[in-house]
Structures are given as structure tokens and as C-alpha cells.
Amino acid sequence: MTIDDIIEFVGGLDGVLTLRPGPGDGSPEISWGDVFFYHAPDGTLPSAAQPFATIVTKDYPGEVSSRLDRPDAFRVNVAAGREEFVRWTGRTPQDPAGDGDPGAADEVMAHPVYAFAGWLAVVDPGRRTDEALRELLRHAHRLACARHERRRGR
């Protein structure tokens, strides 16, 4: 899977707003090249919601364990929620991390920083994780839709 494949897939889900920060748009330079997916049926960036998935293309300060400094490396991050987190990792988000390699390619794993919040991650998704990642992204989208509806009082 390429970054463009993921953007096309997630962008095809109902009510998704895709943000791709870059020079001149007022975003911090550190975010340039990354991608943020929000559930925003009206096309407006939600003021009280976080993205339900992101794609990061570089190591961030304090988080270099995914080794995204390699050519063409990227990580897809998914707000999968507690149930999916447990299903994929065998532990709760609050349990200490295992001995896995956060830079391993094409594996569904706990997010190296936001695991406590039920986030999963895949570095350089490929054949092994293609279907799983698509299902996780659909699931995170459904969770974001439900949160949006709750905020609207429905």
C-alpha cells in the first residue's frame, strides 16, 4: 500500500476530511508531508475532535522508534479503540508494552506513543496488513461517526 492508496481509500469513506499540511497553509513545519483524517460531514475541520487516523512520514522529536528516517518509510496510525486494540495486541491499552519492534514493517502493532488511548499503527503497510488495515480504518471511521453523532445529541 502506498500513501496515495490509503488516502484514496479513507477519502472514499463517508464524510471524511483529509488534511495534508504544507508550506504556506499556516500549519507547523513538522507536520508538512503528513496526512490527517477527520470525520467532518460538513467539510469543516472539527474544533473539538481529533483525527481518527493519520499518516506520518518522518520521526517526530521524542519518538524515533519507528525509524521513519528511512527512504519512503511511513506509518499509518489508527484510533482503533479498546476492543480492536485488545484483539490485535492481546493486552489492554493501559498494560505495559511488549518487546515488539516499533519499526517492523507490515505488522499491526500498538502505537509507540498513543497505545494508552487505543491507537494501533502499521509501518510501511504491505500485503500482510492490507485487508487488516482497511478494516481498522473502517472501524476507526465508524467510531468517529458515532462520536460525531453523540456530540450533536443524536
Side-chain angles (χ1 to χ4, degrees):
M1 294 180 85
T2 67
I3 290 174
D4 289 335
D5 292 335
I6 296 162
I7 291 169
E8 181 179 344
F9 174 76
V10 178
L13 300 173
D14 185 49
V16 171
L17 174 64
T18 303
L19 291 183
R20 296 184 85 174
D25 66 5
S27 62
E29 187 173 348
I30 188 78
S31 67
W32 296 355
D34 295 343
V35 184
F36 303 84
F37 301 104
Y38 294 85
H39 177 67
D42 64 359
T44 304
L45 181 65
S47 61
Q50 295 293 317
F52 67 86
T54 66
I55 301 171
V56 294
T57 58
K58 68 195 85 53
D59 290 326
Y60 274 70
E63 202 304 281
V64 297
S65 65
S66 295
R67 300 186 305 279
L68 300 179
D69 57 347
R70 298 170 282 140
D72 300 320
F74 67 97
R75 186 181 67 223
V76 181
N77 307 304
V78 183
R82 180 181 172 82
E83 288 180 25
E84 286 299 302
F85 186 92
V86 170
R87 184 166 85 87
W88 282 97
T89 67
R91 66 180 179 90
T92 69
Q94 294 75 28
D95 291 339
D99 293 330
D101 175 5
D106 204 18
E107 290 183 25
V108 176
M109 66 187 82
H111 188 281
V113 175
Y114 298 110
F116 72 90
W119 282 70
L120 294 170
V122 180
V123 173
D124 298 333
R127 277 190 231 150
R128 286 193 323 229
T129 56
D130 182 281
E131 266 316 302
L133 182 56
R134 289 174 193 273
E135 183 50 42
L136 285 167
L137 289 164
R138 281 189 213 79
H139 180 75
H141 175 256
R142 286 190 299 270
L143 292 176
C145 290
R147 281 190 299 275
H148 177 82
E149 291 304 312
R150 281 193 306 275
R151 278 194 293 279
R152 292 183 62 204
R154 293 186 176 181

